[in-house]
Amino acid sequence: MIKAALRDYILNFAILWGVTEIFPGLTYDGSLRTLAIGAAGLMAMNLIVIPLLKVVFLPLNLLTLGVFTWVINVIALYLLTTVIPQFKLVPYDFPGAVFLGINIPPQNLTVLWVAILASFMIGFAGRFFHWLTSK
């Protein structure tokens, strides 16, 4: 139990650090203490808030075949940035990119889109690393 909690904490710490380094829309004040508190907050969101929101929004989640789970994760990330004010969601001007021959045009991302993308990145990385460590 303690080993699993410590593993989850370290993974959340690494995921938060990685997402803030890769994606400039999610920022923090740069201190390891803030990152450590953010990892603990992310653990609390994953253990308490997200399951509670999944129960509350179960009919909507069933109606959308699970797609509403993304909205729940965005709400949890917004709550994290509200509870821990050193983490901020800021608007981001995406300069555009070309990926595998697909041209992605420049975009002005609002805070809502930043929250959606950051939540997707955190969720994807979290599920991937939990899958890796569960083997």
Side-chain angles (χ1 to χ4, degrees):
M1 172 96 175
I2 293 174
K3 184 179 174 182
L6 184 60
R7 182 189 68 216
D8 288 345
Y9 177 77
I10 292 170
L11 283 175
N12 284 330
F13 186 92
I15 289 166
L16 269 180
W17 176 79
V19 170
T20 56
E21 288 296 314
I22 292 171
F23 187 57
L26 179 64
T27 62
Y28 70 105
D29 66 3
S31 72
L32 287 177
R33 182 174 183 262
T34 300
L35 207 52
I37 293 170
L42 192 58
M43 271 185 69
M45 294 294 165
N46 287 331
L47 291 174
I48 299 167
V49 175
I50 290 178
L52 183 64
L53 288 174
K54 282 183 179 180
V55 169
V56 169
F57 291 112
L58 181 64
L60 197 54
N61 208 5
L62 289 174
L63 187 64
T64 61
L65 301 175
V67 174
F68 197 76
T69 302
W70 284 351
V71 175
I72 292 171
N73 289 336
V74 170
I75 292 169
L77 180 64
Y78 176 75
L79 288 174
L80 179 73
T81 60
T82 302
V83 171
I84 303 169
Q86 292 87 355
F87 277 94
K88 291 184 179 22
L89 294 168
V90 295
Y92 171 59
D93 290 326
F94 177 66
V98 176
F99 181 71
L100 298 175
I102 299 171
N103 187 17
I104 303 171
Q107 296 288 324
N108 182 12
L109 301 175
T110 63
V111 172
L112 175 64
W113 281 107
V114 166
I116 291 169
L117 290 173
S119 172
F120 176 77
M121 293 168 94
I122 290 170
F124 180 78
R127 282 175 186 76
F128 178 72
F129 287 120
H130 285 316
W131 173 76
L132 274 181
T133 57
S134 68
K135 298 285 178 182

